[in-house]
Amino acid sequence: MRFQTLDGLRGILLTSMTITHFKAMTDNPLIAKVGYTRLGYVDAAHGFLFLSGLLMGIVFGARLIRKSADAMMTGVRRRFWTVAGYHAALTFAVTICVAGFAADPGRLQPQ
């Protein structure tokens, strides 16, 4: 069960958070104009977490109703380990890139 509109909104919020992080690292005026943290009344991070929790509740709540609590928890655990695995792989890849390709890792420290 996918909600493309809500998934798209999550993508917009995630992109906004990424741009906001880049905005903190550069003085580029284009990023300053494009990056924004607030979308109306919702902060990008809060909106993303709210929508993620809402969608998780909808999807796994339906599994709880259709099947059982054990089936729901199995799905929640599988989803957790999938996200945790991607997070660990991305963290490892970024660490290797920074350590391997930076001529002077000390210059990566903020002034």
Side-chain angles (χ1 to χ4, degrees):
M1 172 187 324
R2 300 299 297 193
F3 295 97
Q4 291 182 356
T5 304
L6 294 178
D7 285 341
L9 184 56
R10 275 184 25 193
I12 290 169
L13 293 171
L14 192 57
T15 303
S16 175
M17 286 190 297
T18 303
I19 290 171
T20 301
H21 280 82
F22 285 134
K23 187 170 70 172
M25 294 186 295
T26 184
D27 293 331
N28 189 334
L30 177 63
I31 292 178
K33 288 181 182 177
V34 173
Y36 48 86
T37 57
R38 297 191 70 76
L39 295 171
Y41 296 108
V42 179
D43 184 74
H46 295 133
F48 177 78
L49 289 176
F50 172 77
L51 284 177
S52 296
L54 176 68
L55 290 171
M56 189 171 175
I58 290 171
V59 169
F60 291 110
R63 186 174 293 179
L64 174 65
I65 292 169
R66 281 193 329 266
K67 295 182 180 179
S68 67
D70 288 336
M72 179 198 68
M73 287 307 298
T74 300
V76 169
R77 283 187 204 99
R78 185 178 303 129
R79 180 68 181 157
F80 169 79
W81 287 113
T82 299
V83 171
Y86 281 117
H87 181 76
L90 183 61
T91 302
F92 180 75
V94 168
T95 302
I96 293 300
C97 287
V98 169
F101 297 122
D104 182 15
R107 76 181 164 92
L108 296 176
Q109 297 295 325
Q111 302 294 335

